[in-house]
Amino acid sequence: MDFTELYETAVGMRFFAYTPYYDFRVGAALLAENESGEKRVFTGCNVQNSAFGANICAEHTAGAKAVSEGYRVFRAVAVAGGMGDEISEMVLPCGVCRQFLSEFAAEGMKVILLKDGSPAVFTLDEIFPRPFAL
Ligand SMILES: [Zn+2]
């Protein structure tokens, strides 16, 4: 799956977003690898909650699914989001998600976002250069 396909998968995941409180719909598609070197795409959507602090972001959902199935090396993640049916430019992972992704990020992990109307490839290092680490 190339990065454009990964992005389109993220766009499709917006359909499942649970957004009754504010209609900002986000989808994510994460390419991850397990200990055997097998690669798989995990998907996610944002899941809102009436207690807003319990909201879960799309890329966080996808990442938790990957880790829970033994895929702990994150190679790339695509994120697509916007209000209602709109898809906005540069919907970046929030700070919590950047930290979460950094825990499992492979060297040079890619982040695919919409820029100038097309999927564009960034690295996690570019958007989160100094993660917290114990
Ligand atoms: Zn987030």
Side-chain angles (χ1 to χ4, degrees):
M1 180 178 279
D2 67 25
F3 292 146
T4 300
E5 290 174 300
L6 199 65
Y7 183 78
E8 291 303 323
T9 300
V11 170
M13 284 306 296
R14 297 176 71 244
F15 176 80
F16 297 107
Y18 178 73
T19 59
Y21 304 106
Y22 52 98
D23 196 27
F24 194 75
R25 310 176 71 79
V26 186
L30 172 75
L31 177 65
E33 190 175 316
N34 68 11
E35 276 187 350
S36 305
E38 295 165 7
K39 291 187 175 108
R40 195 169 133 191
V41 173
F42 292 86
T43 56
C45 63
N46 58 327
V47 183
Q48 294 177 354
N49 190 280
S50 58
F52 285 1
N55 288 351
I56 306 171
C57 298
E59 56 275 43
H60 208 159
T61 303
K65 286 167 71 174
V67 172
S68 70
E69 297 194 30
Y71 288 72
R72 294 183 176 177
V73 179
F74 294 178
R75 297 281 175 196
V77 67
V79 180
M83 294 300 292
D85 292 332
E86 301 287 319
I87 297 183
S88 301
E89 296 269 320
M90 297 295 289
V91 175
L92 286 150
C94 76
V96 169
C97 286
R98 293 181 204 196
Q99 177 64 36
F100 176 82
L101 293 168
S102 76
E103 182 84 15
F104 303 100
E107 182 83 31
M109 182 188 173
K110 304 294 190 284
V111 180
I112 297 94
L113 307 168
L114 189 69
K115 181 172 186 263
D116 301 327
S118 300
V121 180
F122 300 86
T123 65
L124 186 63
D125 289 343
E126 278 180 280
I127 66 166
F128 196 55
R130 291 191 172 86
F132 173 79
L134 286 175

